[in-house]
Amino acid sequence: MVAVENSMRKAIGFLKKAKPAVIVAEFNFQSDFRDRTSSLESLLAVVQRLPETKVIVFYDGEYLLQFQKLCARLPVHAAIAFPIEVQYLRLCLENVAVRGTSGIDV
């Protein structure tokens, strides 16, 4: 089953009901947040309580430093810089499904 949520609030609500095998999300750096770098942090905090759920994150290379700081604190199993190549995404999904983690490509 594939579910798509277009807001962080709805995505977190979905995670409270379902325990997906894989989440694919986007890191959007938001410099105006005082205590966070992105709303993705809220989602990843919930994922910490779901040890079987793996996370793949898309990120903009311009914000690599901020993304690396996030990865040091919260669970990210694979990361892909924009532009996203379908073959690479497919490979990441296969690696996460088979091995549990493919590392972070940052």
Side-chain angles (χ1 to χ4, degrees), residues 4 24 39 55 72 75 79 84 95 104:
V4 176
V24 178
S39 60
V55 180
I84 308 302
N95 284 338
I104 299 173

Side-chain angles (χ1 to χ4, degrees), residues 20-45:
V22 177
I23 296 170
V24 178
E26 182 178 345
F27 174 77
N28 290 308
F29 177 66
Q30 294 167 279
S31 62
D32 56 333
F33 283 2
R34 285 190 331 237
D35 58 342
R36 300 177 288 152
T37 59
S38 167
S39 60
L40 180 61
E41 288 183 57
S42 300
L43 181 86
L44 294 176

Side-chain angles (χ1 to χ4, degrees), residues 59 64 67 77-81 88 92 102-106:
Y59 69 95
L64 178 59
F67 181 63
H77 300 89
I80 306 171
Y88 191 64
C92 282
S102 66
I104 299 173
D105 177 32
V106 291

Side-chain angles (χ1 to χ4, degrees), residues 3-101:
V4 176
E5 298 296 344
N6 293 312
S7 78
M8 195 55 65
R9 183 181 54 79
K10 289 182 180 181
I12 291 170
F14 175 78
L15 288 179
K16 292 178 180 177
K17 299 174 193 163
K19 293 177 176 49
V22 177
I23 296 170
V24 178
E26 182 178 345
F27 174 77
N28 290 308
F29 177 66
Q30 294 167 279
S31 62
D32 56 333
F33 283 2
R34 285 190 331 237
D35 58 342
R36 300 177 288 152
T37 59
S38 167
S39 60
L40 180 61
E41 288 183 57
S42 300
L43 181 86
L44 294 176
V46 173
V47 171
Q48 284 183 310
R49 293 177 268 163
L50 305 171
E52 301 300 315
T53 299
K54 307 304 179 202
V55 180
I56 298 172
V57 177
F58 300 155
Y59 69 95
D60 186 329
E62 178 181 351
Y63 301 113
L64 178 59
L65 181 62
Q66 293 86 352
F67 181 63
Q68 287 175 325
K69 289 179 183 179
L70 174 77
C71 292
R73 295 183 295 111
L74 294 165
V76 173
H77 300 89
I80 306 171
F82 286 109
I84 308 302
E85 293 184 29
V86 175
Q87 306 90 317
Y88 191 64
L89 174 58
R90 187 174 290 122
L91 179 64
C92 282
L93 287 166
E94 290 170 2
N95 284 338
V96 167
V98 172
R99 295 180 186 90
T101 182

